[in-house]
Amino acid sequence: MNEKIFIHQKGKEREVDIKTAIFDCGKELFSAKGFKKTNIKEIAEKAGIGVGTFYNYYASKEQLFIEIYKKENEKLKHRLIETLDLRQEPVQLVGRLLRENQEAIQANPILKEWYNRDFYKELEKHYRDEDGRSMDSVREFFLDLLRSWKRQGLLRDDIDEELLPVFFDSLVCIDMHKEEIGIEHFPKVMQYLIEFIINGLTKPKHQQ
């Protein structure tokens, strides 16, 4: 069984297992200082353990950060999905999702690292190695929406349903080339591309 230790967070003392202590203390430090300026020694000291103990649970700072990033990303995606009004028209719904997603990323120092030149390649490599599995919940949500809109006659008749997942997967491919596009322009470019796709997929109102 994992050894329990005490850590101090937000003025309170908590008893947790060592891996949870490393995770929580790492998240706090990454949020305050960023990935690049945080080191393993600081994380270990904050968790009240030795550096050697850190390596018993995580092979590197990068591995710890990726685990933290994935959990933050999943929490954000689920929260956004739960707050959507599915009765909205497709373009309005996707536009709102894009705006709220971008605002949430900018407000979360962990998620903002996706646009940090010092680390985003590590994140991209991880997602490629995972073969997109970590994005399944979001992908399936969008595909269910597109299929529902197709059944309701909101999408163009000439769009084959088999193509619907391809539109989402093509955006993931573009997302993996943000450096070539220009990181400073990428969020806005991606927002426009998604809006263009949704506008292109949906029928004009007079045809619905």
Side-chain angles (χ1 to χ4, degrees):
M1 183 176 247
N2 208 343
E3 182 184 349
K4 299 283 186 178
I5 59 175
F6 287 93
I7 61 171
H8 293 272
Q9 281 190 311
K10 298 179 181 178
K12 296 181 180 179
E13 190 174 71
R14 298 169 53 217
E15 185 181 28
V16 296
D17 61 63
I18 292 178
K19 187 169 186 179
T20 299
I22 295 171
F23 183 96
D24 290 349
C25 293
K27 179 181 173 182
E28 189 174 328
L29 286 168
F30 287 135
S31 296
K33 302 178 64 175
F35 171 79
K36 186 176 182 180
K37 293 183 179 179
T38 300
N39 60 58
I40 290 174
K41 183 180 178 183
E42 291 175 301
I43 297 170
E45 287 177 351
K46 188 168 184 61
I49 60 172
V51 170
T53 303
F54 175 96
Y55 285 111
N56 289 336
Y57 295 89
Y58 293 97
S60 64
K61 181 178 78 167
E62 287 79 5
Q63 184 187 35
L64 170 61
F65 184 85
I66 286 172
E67 186 173 312
I68 293 169
Y69 179 93
K70 286 174 63 178
K71 293 211 171 178
E72 287 295 291
N73 191 44
E74 277 301 304
K75 282 196 311 189
L76 169 60
K77 301 311 179 191
H78 285 303
R79 179 168 61 80
L80 290 177
I81 289 170
E82 288 172 359
T83 60
L84 286 177
D85 181 359
L86 300 182
R87 296 168 298 179
Q88 284 185 300
E89 293 183 5
V91 175
Q92 293 176 333
L93 188 152
V94 172
R96 178 190 164 196
L97 179 63
L98 289 172
R99 287 192 302 273
E100 292 186 1
N101 182 67
Q102 195 57 37
E103 288 169 2
I105 288 175
Q106 293 303 317
N108 186 317
I110 299 292
L111 296 179
K112 279 179 72 175
E113 295 286 352
W114 183 252
Y115 301 109
N116 185 335
R117 290 179 186 273
D118 296 319
F119 191 63
Y120 76 79
K121 286 188 176 179
E122 287 286 340
L123 284 170
E124 287 182 345
K125 180 179 182 301
H126 173 78
Y127 280 110
R128 282 196 297 270
D129 291 344
E130 287 279 299
D131 195 28
R133 287 192 295 273
S134 58
M135 304 177 78
D136 280 351
S137 62
V138 179
R139 184 179 189 272
E140 286 308 310
F141 172 75
F142 271 108
L143 290 183
D144 286 344
L145 268 183
L146 290 172
R147 290 173 184 135
S148 173
W149 292 336
K150 179 79 170 172
R151 289 192 297 270
Q152 296 172 49
L154 300 177
L155 301 188
R156 286 167 40 182
D157 296 327
D158 61 326
I159 301 294
D160 191 335
E161 188 166 322
E162 292 182 359
L163 278 177
L164 296 181
V166 179
F167 288 109
F168 183 89
D169 294 338
S170 65
L171 289 169
V172 174
C173 291
I174 293 171
D175 194 55
M176 296 301 183
H177 292 275
K178 62 176 68 65
E179 185 174 25
E180 292 97 317
I181 295 170
I183 294 177
E184 67 278 14
H185 303 302
F186 180 79
K188 200 68 177 175
V189 169
M190 183 62 92
Q191 180 177 336
Y192 281 130
L193 286 173
I194 296 172
E195 288 178 355
F196 295 158
I197 287 174
I198 297 299
N199 274 305
L201 286 173
T202 52
K203 292 179 180 177
K205 277 199 169 186
H206 69 275
Q207 293 181 11
Q208 293 178 10

Short mmCIF file of all heavy atoms in Angstrom, two decimals, residues 145-185:
data_model
loop_
_atom_site.label_atom_id
_atom_site.label_comp_id
_atom_site.label_asym_id
_atom_site.label_seq_id
_atom_site.Cartn_x
_atom_site.Cartn_y
_atom_site.Cartn_z
N LEU A 145 -23.21 14.91 -32.25
CA LEU A 145 -23.90 16.15 -32.63
C LEU A 145 -24.10 16.23 -34.13
O LEU A 145 -25.20 16.53 -34.61
CB LEU A 145 -23.08 17.36 -32.17
CG LEU A 145 -23.37 17.97 -30.80
CD1 LEU A 145 -22.50 19.20 -30.59
CD2 LEU A 145 -24.83 18.33 -30.65
N LEU A 146 -23.04 15.96 -34.89
CA LEU A 146 -23.13 16.04 -36.35
C LEU A 146 -24.14 15.04 -36.90
O LEU A 146 -24.92 15.36 -37.80
CB LEU A 146 -21.74 15.81 -36.97
CG LEU A 146 -20.71 16.93 -36.76
CD1 LEU A 146 -19.34 16.49 -37.25
CD2 LEU A 146 -21.13 18.21 -37.47
N ARG A 147 -24.14 13.83 -36.35
CA ARG A 147 -25.10 12.82 -36.81
C ARG A 147 -26.53 13.24 -36.49
O ARG A 147 -27.45 13.02 -37.28
CB ARG A 147 -24.77 11.47 -36.18
CG ARG A 147 -23.47 10.85 -36.73
CD ARG A 147 -23.09 9.60 -35.97
NE ARG A 147 -21.82 9.07 -36.43
CZ ARG A 147 -20.84 8.64 -35.61
NH1 ARG A 147 -21.01 8.71 -34.30
NH2 ARG A 147 -19.72 8.18 -36.11
N SER A 148 -26.69 13.82 -35.29
CA SER A 148 -28.02 14.30 -34.90
C SER A 148 -28.49 15.41 -35.85
O SER A 148 -29.64 15.43 -36.30
CB SER A 148 -27.99 14.82 -33.46
OG SER A 148 -29.21 15.43 -33.11
N TRP A 149 -27.58 16.35 -36.16
CA TRP A 149 -27.93 17.43 -37.09
C TRP A 149 -28.23 16.88 -38.48
O TRP A 149 -29.11 17.39 -39.17
CB TRP A 149 -26.80 18.45 -37.15
CG TRP A 149 -26.62 19.22 -35.88
CD1 TRP A 149 -27.55 19.44 -34.90
CD2 TRP A 149 -25.42 19.87 -35.44
NE1 TRP A 149 -27.00 20.19 -33.87
CE2 TRP A 149 -25.71 20.46 -34.17
CE3 TRP A 149 -24.13 20.00 -35.96
CZ2 TRP A 149 -24.76 21.18 -33.46
CZ3 TRP A 149 -23.18 20.71 -35.24
CH2 TRP A 149 -23.49 21.31 -34.01
N LYS A 150 -27.53 15.82 -38.86
CA LYS A 150 -27.78 15.19 -40.16
C LYS A 150 -29.19 14.62 -40.20
O LYS A 150 -29.93 14.80 -41.18
CB LYS A 150 -26.74 14.09 -40.39
CG LYS A 150 -26.88 13.34 -41.70
CD LYS A 150 -26.33 14.10 -42.87
CE LYS A 150 -26.26 13.24 -44.11
NZ LYS A 150 -25.92 14.02 -45.31
N ARG A 151 -29.58 13.91 -39.12
CA ARG A 151 -30.92 13.32 -39.07
C ARG A 151 -32.01 14.39 -39.06
O ARG A 151 -33.10 14.19 -39.58
CB ARG A 151 -31.05 12.44 -37.82
CG ARG A 151 -30.24 11.15 -37.88
CD ARG A 151 -30.64 10.20 -36.77
NE ARG A 151 -30.37 10.76 -35.45
CZ ARG A 151 -29.23 10.60 -34.79
NH1 ARG A 151 -28.24 9.90 -35.35
NH2 ARG A 151 -29.06 11.11 -33.59
N GLN A 152 -31.70 15.54 -38.45
CA GLN A 152 -32.68 16.63 -38.39
C GLN A 152 -32.76 17.43 -39.68
O GLN A 152 -33.57 18.34 -39.80
CB GLN A 152 -32.34 17.58 -37.24
CG GLN A 152 -32.43 16.96 -35.85
CD GLN A 152 -31.89 17.90 -34.79
OE1 GLN A 152 -32.26 19.07 -34.73
NE2 GLN A 152 -31.02 17.40 -33.94
N GLY A 153 -31.90 17.10 -40.63
CA GLY A 153 -31.92 17.81 -41.90
C GLY A 153 -31.23 19.15 -41.85
O GLY A 153 -31.47 20.01 -42.71
N LEU A 154 -30.35 19.35 -40.85
CA LEU A 154 -29.65 20.63 -40.72
C LEU A 154 -28.36 20.66 -41.55
O LEU A 154 -27.83 21.74 -41.81
CB LEU A 154 -29.33 20.92 -39.25
CG LEU A 154 -30.53 21.01 -38.31
CD1 LEU A 154 -30.07 21.23 -36.87
CD2 LEU A 154 -31.48 22.12 -38.74
N LEU A 155 -27.85 19.47 -41.91
CA LEU A 155 -26.62 19.40 -42.70
C LEU A 155 -26.95 19.23 -44.18
O LEU A 155 -28.01 18.74 -44.55
CB LEU A 155 -25.73 18.25 -42.23
CG LEU A 155 -25.26 18.26 -40.78
CD1 LEU A 155 -24.23 17.16 -40.56
CD2 LEU A 155 -24.71 19.60 -40.37
N ARG A 156 -26.02 19.62 -45.02
CA ARG A 156 -26.21 19.49 -46.47
C ARG A 156 -26.45 18.03 -46.85
O ARG A 156 -25.82 17.12 -46.31
CB ARG A 156 -24.97 20.02 -47.19
CG ARG A 156 -24.85 21.52 -47.19
CD ARG A 156 -23.48 22.00 -47.62
NE ARG A 156 -22.93 21.23 -48.74
CZ ARG A 156 -21.72 21.45 -49.26
NH1 ARG A 156 -20.96 22.41 -48.76
NH2 ARG A 156 -21.28 20.73 -50.27
N ASP A 157 -27.33 17.83 -47.82
CA ASP A 157 -27.68 16.48 -48.25
C ASP A 157 -26.53 15.77 -48.95
O ASP A 157 -26.47 14.54 -48.95
CB ASP A 157 -28.90 16.53 -49.19
CG ASP A 157 -30.15 17.05 -48.48
OD1 ASP A 157 -30.28 16.78 -47.27
OD2 ASP A 157 -30.96 17.73 -49.13
N ASP A 158 -25.62 16.54 -49.56
CA ASP A 158 -24.54 15.92 -50.33
C ASP A 158 -23.35 15.52 -49.45
O ASP A 158 -22.38 14.97 -49.95
CB ASP A 158 -24.06 16.85 -51.44
CG ASP A 158 -23.51 18.17 -50.90
OD1 ASP A 158 -24.02 18.64 -49.87
OD2 ASP A 158 -22.57 18.71 -51.51
N ILE A 159 -23.43 15.76 -48.14
CA ILE A 159 -22.36 15.37 -47.22
C ILE A 159 -22.63 13.96 -46.73
O ILE A 159 -23.60 13.71 -46.01
CB ILE A 159 -22.24 16.34 -46.02
CG1 ILE A 159 -21.96 17.76 -46.50
CG2 ILE A 159 -21.15 15.86 -45.06
CD1 ILE A 159 -20.63 17.95 -47.17
N ASP A 160 -21.79 13.02 -47.14
CA ASP A 160 -21.93 11.62 -46.71
C ASP A 160 -21.62 11.52 -45.22
O ASP A 160 -20.65 12.10 -44.73
CB ASP A 160 -20.95 10.75 -47.51
CG ASP A 160 -21.21 9.27 -47.35
OD1 ASP A 160 -21.79 8.89 -46.32
OD2 ASP A 160 -20.84 8.51 -48.25
N GLU A 161 -22.42 10.74 -44.49
CA GLU A 161 -22.21 10.60 -43.04
C GLU A 161 -20.84 10.01 -42.72
O GLU A 161 -20.27 10.29 -41.67
CB GLU A 161 -23.31 9.74 -42.43
CG GLU A 161 -23.26 9.72 -40.91
CD GLU A 161 -24.52 9.16 -40.27
OE1 GLU A 161 -25.62 9.44 -40.77
OE2 GLU A 161 -24.39 8.46 -39.25
N GLU A 162 -20.30 9.22 -43.63
CA GLU A 162 -18.97 8.63 -43.39
C GLU A 162 -17.87 9.69 -43.36
O GLU A 162 -16.78 9.45 -42.84
CB GLU A 162 -18.66 7.60 -44.48
CG GLU A 162 -19.53 6.36 -44.42
CD GLU A 162 -19.17 5.35 -45.49
OE1 GLU A 162 -18.25 5.63 -46.28
OE2 GLU A 162 -19.80 4.28 -45.53
N LEU A 163 -18.15 10.85 -43.94
CA LEU A 163 -17.16 11.93 -43.95
C LEU A 163 -17.13 12.72 -42.65
O LEU A 163 -16.16 13.43 -42.37
CB LEU A 163 -17.46 12.91 -45.10
CG LEU A 163 -16.96 12.54 -46.50
CD1 LEU A 163 -17.42 13.58 -47.50
CD2 LEU A 163 -15.45 12.40 -46.52
N LEU A 164 -18.17 12.61 -41.85
CA LEU A 164 -18.28 13.45 -40.65
C LEU A 164 -17.08 13.30 -39.70
O LEU A 164 -16.52 14.31 -39.26
CB LEU A 164 -19.60 13.17 -39.92
CG LEU A 164 -20.86 13.52 -40.72
CD1 LEU A 164 -22.11 13.22 -39.88
CD2 LEU A 164 -20.86 14.99 -41.14
N PRO A 165 -16.65 12.07 -39.38
CA PRO A 165 -15.47 11.97 -38.50
C PRO A 165 -14.20 12.50 -39.14
O PRO A 165 -13.28 12.93 -38.44
CB PRO A 165 -15.36 10.47 -38.21
CG PRO A 165 -16.13 9.80 -39.27
CD PRO A 165 -17.22 10.74 -39.67
N VAL A 166 -14.14 12.50 -40.47
CA VAL A 166 -12.93 12.96 -41.16
C VAL A 166 -12.72 14.46 -40.93
O VAL A 166 -11.58 14.93 -40.79
CB VAL A 166 -13.02 12.66 -42.67
CG1 VAL A 166 -11.77 13.18 -43.39
CG2 VAL A 166 -13.18 11.17 -42.90
N PHE A 167 -13.81 15.22 -40.87
CA PHE A 167 -13.68 16.66 -40.62
C PHE A 167 -13.04 16.91 -39.26
O PHE A 167 -12.13 17.74 -39.14
CB PHE A 167 -15.06 17.34 -40.68
CG PHE A 167 -15.63 17.43 -42.05
CD1 PHE A 167 -16.71 16.66 -42.42
CD2 PHE A 167 -15.08 18.29 -42.99
CE1 PHE A 167 -17.25 16.74 -43.70
CE2 PHE A 167 -15.61 18.38 -44.28
CZ PHE A 167 -16.69 17.60 -44.63
N PHE A 168 -13.48 16.17 -38.25
CA PHE A 168 -12.90 16.34 -36.91
C PHE A 168 -11.44 15.91 -36.91
O PHE A 168 -10.57 16.61 -36.39
CB PHE A 168 -13.68 15.54 -35.88
CG PHE A 168 -13.17 15.72 -34.48
CD1 PHE A 168 -13.66 16.73 -33.67
CD2 PHE A 168 -12.17 14.90 -33.97
CE1 PHE A 168 -13.17 16.91 -32.38
CE2 PHE A 168 -11.68 15.07 -32.69
CZ PHE A 168 -12.19 16.08 -31.88
N ASP A 169 -11.14 14.76 -37.50
CA ASP A 169 -9.77 14.23 -37.49
C ASP A 169 -8.81 15.14 -38.26
O ASP A 169 -7.63 15.25 -37.91
CB ASP A 169 -9.74 12.82 -38.08
CG ASP A 169 -10.50 11.82 -37.21
OD1 ASP A 169 -10.67 12.10 -36.01
OD2 ASP A 169 -10.92 10.79 -37.73
N SER A 170 -9.31 15.81 -39.31
CA SER A 170 -8.45 16.72 -40.06
C SER A 170 -8.05 17.92 -39.21
O SER A 170 -6.93 18.43 -39.31
CB SER A 170 -9.15 17.19 -41.34
OG SER A 170 -10.29 17.97 -41.04
N LEU A 171 -8.96 18.36 -38.32
CA LEU A 171 -8.63 19.47 -37.42
C LEU A 171 -7.57 19.06 -36.42
O LEU A 171 -6.71 19.87 -36.05
CB LEU A 171 -9.89 19.96 -36.71
CG LEU A 171 -10.90 20.71 -37.58
CD1 LEU A 171 -12.20 20.90 -36.83
CD2 LEU A 171 -10.35 22.04 -38.03
N VAL A 172 -7.63 17.81 -35.97
CA VAL A 172 -6.60 17.31 -35.05
C VAL A 172 -5.24 17.32 -35.74
O VAL A 172 -4.23 17.70 -35.15
CB VAL A 172 -6.95 15.88 -34.56
CG1 VAL A 172 -5.81 15.31 -33.73
CG2 VAL A 172 -8.24 15.90 -33.76
N CYS A 173 -5.20 16.94 -37.02
CA CYS A 173 -3.94 16.95 -37.78
C CYS A 173 -3.39 18.38 -37.88
O CYS A 173 -2.19 18.61 -37.71
CB CYS A 173 -4.15 16.38 -39.17
SG CYS A 173 -4.48 14.60 -39.18
N ILE A 174 -4.28 19.33 -38.16
CA ILE A 174 -3.86 20.74 -38.24
C ILE A 174 -3.32 21.21 -36.90
O ILE A 174 -2.33 21.93 -36.81
CB ILE A 174 -5.04 21.62 -38.70
CG1 ILE A 174 -5.41 21.27 -40.14
CG2 ILE A 174 -4.69 23.10 -38.59
CD1 ILE A 174 -6.70 21.92 -40.60
N ASP A 175 -3.98 20.77 -35.83
CA ASP A 175 -3.58 21.17 -34.49
C ASP A 175 -2.15 20.73 -34.18
O ASP A 175 -1.44 21.37 -33.41
CB ASP A 175 -4.54 20.54 -33.47
CG ASP A 175 -4.40 21.15 -32.10
OD1 ASP A 175 -4.52 22.38 -31.99
OD2 ASP A 175 -4.17 20.41 -31.13
N MET A 176 -1.70 19.65 -34.81
CA MET A 176 -0.35 19.14 -34.58
C MET A 176 0.71 19.89 -35.39
O MET A 176 1.89 19.55 -35.32
CB MET A 176 -0.29 17.64 -34.93
CG MET A 176 -1.17 16.77 -34.05
SD MET A 176 -0.73 16.90 -32.28
CE MET A 176 -1.88 15.71 -31.59
N HIS A 177 0.29 20.92 -36.12
CA HIS A 177 1.25 21.69 -36.93
C HIS A 177 1.14 23.18 -36.62
O HIS A 177 1.29 24.02 -37.49
CB HIS A 177 1.00 21.43 -38.42
CG HIS A 177 1.32 20.03 -38.84
ND1 HIS A 177 2.58 19.62 -39.19
CD2 HIS A 177 0.53 18.92 -38.92
CE1 HIS A 177 2.56 18.33 -39.49
NE2 HIS A 177 1.34 17.89 -39.33
N LYS A 178 0.91 23.48 -35.36
CA LYS A 178 0.72 24.88 -34.97
C LYS A 178 1.99 25.71 -35.17
O LYS A 178 1.92 26.90 -35.42
CB LYS A 178 0.21 24.97 -33.53
CG LYS A 178 1.14 24.41 -32.49
CD LYS A 178 0.62 24.64 -31.07
CE LYS A 178 -0.62 23.86 -30.78
NZ LYS A 178 -0.43 22.41 -30.80
N GLU A 179 3.17 25.08 -35.06
CA GLU A 179 4.41 25.85 -35.21
C GLU A 179 4.54 26.37 -36.64
O GLU A 179 4.92 27.53 -36.85
CB GLU A 179 5.62 25.00 -34.85
CG GLU A 179 6.92 25.80 -34.89
CD GLU A 179 8.10 25.00 -34.39
OE1 GLU A 179 8.06 23.76 -34.45
OE2 GLU A 179 9.08 25.62 -33.94
N GLU A 180 4.22 25.52 -37.62
CA GLU A 180 4.31 25.95 -39.01
C GLU A 180 3.31 27.07 -39.30
O GLU A 180 3.59 27.98 -40.07
CB GLU A 180 4.06 24.77 -39.96
CG GLU A 180 5.15 23.71 -39.92
CD GLU A 180 4.79 22.55 -39.01
OE1 GLU A 180 4.27 22.82 -37.90
OE2 GLU A 180 5.03 21.39 -39.40
N ILE A 181 2.14 26.99 -38.68
CA ILE A 181 1.11 28.02 -38.88
C ILE A 181 1.52 29.31 -38.17
O ILE A 181 1.28 30.41 -38.68
CB ILE A 181 -0.24 27.52 -38.35
CG1 ILE A 181 -0.71 26.33 -39.19
CG2 ILE A 181 -1.29 28.63 -38.35
CD1 ILE A 181 -1.91 25.61 -38.63
N GLY A 182 2.15 29.16 -37.01
CA GLY A 182 2.52 30.30 -36.18
C GLY A 182 1.73 30.26 -34.89
O GLY A 182 0.50 30.44 -34.90
N ILE A 183 2.40 29.95 -33.79
CA ILE A 183 1.70 29.75 -32.52
C ILE A 183 0.88 30.97 -32.12
O ILE A 183 -0.21 30.85 -31.57
CB ILE A 183 2.72 29.41 -31.40
CG1 ILE A 183 3.36 28.06 -31.69
CG2 ILE A 183 2.04 29.36 -30.03
CD1 ILE A 183 4.42 27.65 -30.71
N GLU A 184 1.40 32.17 -32.43
CA GLU A 184 0.69 33.38 -32.02
C GLU A 184 -0.63 33.54 -32.78
O GLU A 184 -1.56 34.18 -32.29
CB GLU A 184 1.58 34.62 -32.21
CG GLU A 184 1.90 34.98 -33.66
CD GLU A 184 3.05 34.18 -34.26
OE1 GLU A 184 3.44 33.16 -33.66
OE2 GLU A 184 3.54 34.58 -35.33
N HIS A 185 -0.71 32.96 -33.99
CA HIS A 185 -1.93 33.08 -34.79
C HIS A 185 -2.83 31.85 -34.68
O HIS A 185 -4.00 31.92 -35.04
CB HIS A 185 -1.57 33.27 -36.27
CG HIS A 185 -0.69 34.45 -36.54
ND1 HIS A 185 -1.05 35.74 -36.19
CD2 HIS A 185 0.54 34.54 -37.11
CE1 HIS A 185 -0.07 36.56 -36.54
NE2 HIS A 185 0.89 35.87 -37.09
#
